[in-house]
Amino acid sequence: GEGTSFDILLPKRTVHSDESPIAAQVSVPVHGRILFVEDDDTVRHVTEKLLRSAGFQVWSAPSGEVALKLLSEGVVDPEVVIADVVMPGIDGVTLARKLREAKSNLLVIFVSGYKGNAVLDEELLLPDTYFLPKPYTPAQLAGQIRKALTDQRANRQ
């Protein structure tokens, strides 16, 4: 007679203690050095933790300015930069251009939750970059990173 009750039924999934959330969804292991640039603290911390649990070496930055400083001071040596497209200050596309001036072979994956934004127009994104719309799953993120690294390694041969 008082209130409402709900039963929520979720599928059972067993994750072994040595299995990361990304590794649990991706059959092929992925490894590499990543600089993750995201202005949302929660998204940055959760994603950084997921990437580390999957075996990546990860540095993170809350802004484009911090990312540039880390690279110029030699604190980071990434193979891949994952950058939010829309950030205060230096946006992701401008950041990627500046980072590639210092390291031309840098892989770039743009992420954004903004749909229909002019910044996401493919003509404005840099060549040889990847795009992953938010929200993304750990498997989608790992897949995009694996694709970028695989493409780069294939181009070297």
Side-chain angles (χ1 to χ4, degrees):
E2 293 182 28
T4 304
S5 67
F6 294 91
D7 290 323
I8 299 174
L9 304 173
L10 300 173
K12 183 178 180 181
R13 171 123 174 27
T14 304
V15 176
H16 303 288
S17 62
D18 62 341
E19 187 177 26
S20 76
I22 289 180
Q25 298 180 40
V26 180
S27 59
V28 179
V30 288
H31 300 284
R33 299 181 316 275
I34 297 174
L35 173 57
F36 183 63
V37 187
E38 168 65 58
D39 60 313
D40 183 300
D41 291 340
T42 302
V43 173
R44 189 175 64 257
H45 294 304
V46 168
T47 304
E48 182 179 1
K49 186 175 181 178
L50 283 170
L51 291 169
R52 280 203 175 115
S53 71
F56 292 105
Q57 181 177 358
V58 182
W59 300 276
S60 67
S63 68
E65 292 84 358
V66 171
L68 286 171
K69 184 176 180 184
L70 291 172
L71 190 70
S72 70
E73 293 177 352
V75 174
V76 301
D77 181 26
E79 294 173 272
V80 180
V81 170
I82 302 171
D84 192 358
V85 174
V86 180
M87 296 185 289
I90 298 176
D91 64 83
V93 176
T94 303
L95 170 65
R97 283 189 179 109
K98 290 183 179 206
L99 290 171
R100 279 193 169 169
E101 287 173 9
K103 191 171 181 175
S104 62
N105 64 339
L106 195 60
L107 294 170
V108 178
I109 299 172
F110 293 112
V111 295
S112 181
Y114 291 95
K115 295 185 181 183
N117 189 311
V119 171
L120 299 181
D121 186 334
E122 287 185 27
E123 293 176 9
L124 297 177
L125 295 179
L126 299 173
D128 301 321
T129 61
Y130 301 84
F131 179 76
L132 184 62
K134 291 179 183 177
Y136 46 80
T137 66
Q140 290 169 325
L141 179 60
Q144 193 69 281
I145 296 166
R146 185 183 337 97
K147 179 176 177 12
L149 289 169
T150 301
D151 288 353
Q152 182 187 56
R153 290 172 184 153
N155 289 337
R156 283 187 202 156
Q157 296 175 350

